[in-house]
Amino acid sequence: MSRTSRPSPWRVALITILVVSCVVTLAPFAWTIATSLKRPEDVFAPGSGLIPHPATLAGYRDVFTLVPFGHYLRNSVVVSIAIVGCNVLFDTAAAYAFAKLEFPGKSVLFGLLLVTLMVPMQVNLIPLYRIMVELHGVSPHLGANTLSGVILPSAVQVFGIFLMRQFFASIPDSILEAARIDGAGELTILRRIVFPLAAPGIATLTIFTFLSAWNDFLWPLIVGGTDASRTLPVGLALLARKNTINWPDTMAGAVITALPMIVIFVAMQRRFIEGLTAGSGKDIQ
Amino acid sequence: MLIAPALLFSGAFFFLPMALSLLWSFTDYNGLQPFTWAGLANYTDLLSDPVFLRACWNTVVFGVVTMTIGPLLGLLSALMLNQRIPARAFFRAVYFVPVTTSLVVVSTMWKMLLNDQGLLNKLIVAVGLQPHDWLSDPGTALYAVSAASIWQGFGFETVVFLAALQSLPSELYDASAVDGAGPIHQFWHITLPGLRPTMVFVYVVGIIGAFQAFDQVFVMTQGGPINSTTTVVYYLVQRFQALDLGHASATAYLLVLTLGLLSFIQLRLGKRFA
């Protein structure tokens, strides 16, 4: 691939295409931020361009006062953190058992979990809602219209078990055997040896679960009919579905919903891409 | 026991609902009154319901459009990023930003951009063409929804294809270059065959995703105009909200059967060509 020092037309064209597609990818975001800072009457005004004139924070004020976006934000944070916590704990424990321990019925149970990967969540939507309504009857803090209703069905994700099982499979049995001979119990081994070695896997699992929990929409929409359990995407969708849409308010809501994820992505790009493409069977360079 | 939580949760929130869903699909359950047995009536009703059939057709069109253009764009960007170019990681990160963005946010953004007075129409007018109300025209609404989905997803395909391209052994290219093979010959005989497992992955994941399309439709068009963007899952949720749990459950099971069949065919094709 020897090239002369002068850039060839082919390379110039290539880089031009890449830059143009970058602009096409980023333009909707820029336009969204711009609109969130405009006055409603300026949004579709003929002369209104990318720079809001006059610029106003009214959209952001509105979504925190007229609409309970502060509450949705809190719900999203609680739900996402709880789902990540449960998955790190439960998925990792189960994955360790499936990778390193022998117990009766192991392959049958693993096969059963495999089935859950092939069935889309929508199939269970209606009975799951029914179960949440029943749970709500047992205790007003559980089930439909509560945060626990949003969290519970995602507390264990079989994909996470598979992901972590791959990581555990790479830990040599001899290390575990040596610890057992030294008299360490399974929980000690888990805490002192397995968890530290599986740290990169847990990071990937955390990102993957956090992203899917933060962006999840259909289930939080179905299970929560009131603001008590609505998350940011649900709150935003309700704004964007109104008959007369207040665009600056709606775009302010979109910015608030998207920004935390984009900030985390920019900060932890590599892990992020690894987390989301895990399962493709290729290592990301 | 370590697997107890996993089994408990998947039992209570997966296998139990799945069994209930199957049971209800053979009944006239409305969630309030005790149900009576309906046999296969829900399934036969669906297959003769024009709205359901329209929803199936829309879902297939959405799947074909997004899974043709999306992976193609992803492959093209990956091939370009695989050249010797400056700031490769930057470009890759930019394409990936929409992937991390919630579909509801993406749909909201595109609902504004595709508005009859929105940015796209401004640009169209600026180059002297006729503006169009993309989301209100039954002929274009589904394609507008597809475009937003492609924009959101192609960065995922870019990253996956790029990783696959970088893992192809360079000796193969060197050897074929010695034999006088040009770039086009190399693409057909080394690159494409090498990408086959990745393609199977992209299509299995992508088609399952496409058949579950809901968020975009809920936000951008609410199934309209005149059911031109109603997808199978959107139809399912509508039946659920109408407390028609029998037909909703039957829709769910038809979806599972279709997806199972499609995944099976894809994995078989992937094996045959591998």
Side-chain angles (χ1 to χ4, degrees):
Chain A
M1 280 229 176
S2 65
R3 294 255 184 261
T4 51
S5 58
R6 215 162 50 101
S8 68
W10 156 242
R11 265 173 71 78
V12 172
L14 182 71
I15 291 172
T16 312
I17 296 175
L18 286 172
V19 170
V20 168
S21 48
C22 263
V23 172
V24 172
T25 309
L26 293 179
F29 288 108
W31 202 254
T32 296
I33 295 170
T35 305
S36 75
L37 298 169
K38 288 178 182 175
R39 297 181 305 177
E41 60 267 34
D42 294 336
V43 170
F44 295 127
S48 184
L50 186 62
I51 309 297
H53 182 78
T56 166
L57 287 170
Y60 291 88
R61 193 196 59 217
D62 285 353
V63 291
F64 282 109
T65 52
L66 303 180
V67 194
F69 253 69
H71 189 71
Y72 299 153
L73 178 64
R74 193 196 66 111
N75 284 346
S76 271
V77 170
V78 172
V79 163
S80 305
I81 290 178
I83 289 178
V84 168
C86 289
N87 275 283
V88 166
L89 207 64
F90 300 147
D91 296 0
T92 313
Y96 173 70
F98 281 120
K100 292 295 175 197
L101 304 179
E102 287 306 324
F103 50 90
K106 178 170 149 177
S107 55
V108 174
L109 291 175
F110 197 65
L112 271 180
L113 289 182
L114 224 145
V115 172
T116 68
L117 272 187
M118 297 174 189
V119 178
M121 188 266 170
Q122 286 86 348
V123 180
N124 294 333
L125 204 62
I126 300 159
L128 210 46
Y129 177 72
R130 187 76 220 167
I131 291 170
M132 290 303 163
V133 171
E134 297 294 331
L135 268 179
H136 195 65
V138 174
S139 155
H141 301 294
L142 285 177
N145 280 323
T146 71
L147 292 183
S148 74
V150 184
I151 296 164
L152 283 173
S154 305
V156 170
Q157 281 166 11
V158 174
F159 179 79
I161 301 180
F162 278 81
L163 191 74
M164 294 311 297
R165 189 169 158 266
Q166 283 181 339
F167 271 87
F168 291 139
S170 65
I171 298 175
D173 286 338
S174 54
I175 302 182
L176 307 177
E177 285 305 322
R180 277 189 200 117
I181 291 167
D182 291 344
E186 285 304 325
L187 277 181
T188 314
I189 294 177
L190 204 58
R191 209 178 65 235
R192 301 285 291 277
I193 302 173
V194 174
F195 266 111
L197 286 175
I202 291 175
T204 304
L205 176 69
T206 300
I207 286 175
F208 181 84
T209 329
F210 190 81
L211 182 91
S212 54
W214 187 270
N215 290 343
D216 196 15
F217 174 63
L218 181 54
W219 175 244
L221 172 79
I222 296 294
V223 77
T226 66
D227 282 337
S229 66
R230 281 184 183 141
T231 54
L232 284 172
V234 179
L236 176 63
L238 296 180
L239 275 187
R241 251 171 81 101
K242 289 196 169 154
N243 285 329
T244 30
I245 300 171
N246 181 319
W247 286 107
D249 288 11
T250 307
M251 290 300 123
V255 171
I256 294 165
T257 309
L259 201 61
M261 230 51 243
I262 294 179
V263 169
I264 300 176
F265 169 64
V266 171
M268 313 204 297
Q269 226 197 88
R270 208 188 123 92
R271 281 246 167 276
F272 224 98
I273 292 180
E274 269 170 17
L276 283 204
T277 51
S280 75
K282 300 284 178 224
D283 291 329
I284 308 296
Q285 308 289 311
Chain B
M1 194 127 123
L2 293 171
I3 57 166
L7 293 180
L8 186 73
F9 277 96
S10 55
F13 302 123
F14 182 83
F15 290 105
L16 175 62
M18 223 183 131
L20 285 175
S21 206
L22 182 62
L23 171 69
W24 293 350
S25 75
F26 298 112
T27 70
D28 65 352
Y29 192 41
N30 64 9
L32 308 167
Q33 287 136 343
F35 52 77
T36 54
W37 196 250
L40 285 170
N42 291 331
Y43 291 92
T44 50
D45 286 353
L46 284 179
L47 296 177
S48 57
D49 174 1
V51 180
F52 177 76
L53 296 177
R54 184 69 208 252
C56 292
W57 173 246
N58 289 341
T59 307
V60 169
V61 171
F62 176 84
V64 168
V65 171
T66 53
M67 287 319 288
T68 309
I69 302 178
L72 196 66
L73 279 180
L75 182 58
L76 283 176
S77 345
L79 285 170
M80 290 192 290
L81 290 179
N82 200 34
Q83 308 298 313
R84 287 189 319 147
I85 51 145
R88 176 191 292 155
F90 169 79
F91 285 118
R92 192 185 64 175
V94 168
Y95 298 152
F96 206 73
V97 172
V99 181
T100 68
T101 307
S102 134
L103 254 179
V104 174
V105 172
V106 169
S107 311
T108 310
M109 288 162 61
W110 281 86
K111 191 175 186 178
M112 173 185 64
L113 297 173
L114 295 169
N115 187 288
D116 59 348
Q117 298 164 294
L119 181 61
L120 184 68
N121 277 336
K122 277 189 181 186
L123 296 175
I124 287 175
V125 172
V127 295
L129 296 171
Q130 281 295 311
H132 188 82
D133 196 350
W134 305 98
L135 291 170
S136 305
D137 175 355
T140 55
L142 187 59
Y143 299 100
V145 171
S146 307
S149 311
I150 292 169
W151 177 85
Q152 199 250 358
F154 89 96
F156 176 78
E157 280 125 14
T158 304
V159 166
V160 172
F161 279 129
L162 182 60
L165 286 175
Q166 289 175 342
S167 71
L168 293 179
S170 58
E171 300 86 53
L172 283 181
Y173 289 92
D174 297 341
S176 74
V178 170
D179 293 343
I184 293 170
H185 183 90
Q186 287 180 332
F187 176 77
W188 286 108
H189 291 92
I190 304 175
T191 312
L192 270 190
L195 288 178
R196 218 161 260 152
T198 314
M199 298 239 180
V200 172
F201 170 77
V202 162
Y203 273 92
V204 169
V205 172
I207 289 180
I208 289 177
F211 271 74
Q212 296 176 21
F214 171 80
D215 306 11
Q216 306 94 311
V217 176
F218 184 86
V219 173
M220 292 174 79
T221 58
Q222 296 160 43
I226 18 177
N227 292 318
S228 61
T229 55
T230 301
T231 56
V232 171
V233 174
Y234 193 81
Y235 178 88
L236 188 161
V237 173
Q238 277 184 322
R239 291 286 95 221
F240 168 57
Q241 285 172 336
L243 293 179
D244 180 3
L245 304 193
H247 287 103
S249 303
T251 306
Y253 263 85
L254 287 178
L255 183 68
V256 179
L257 287 178
T258 313
L259 281 179
L261 195 67
L262 278 174
S263 301
F264 179 76
I265 293 172
Q266 284 172 321
L267 290 174
R268 267 294 158 87
L269 283 178
K271 269 196 193 123
R272 165 124 57 95
F273 290 123

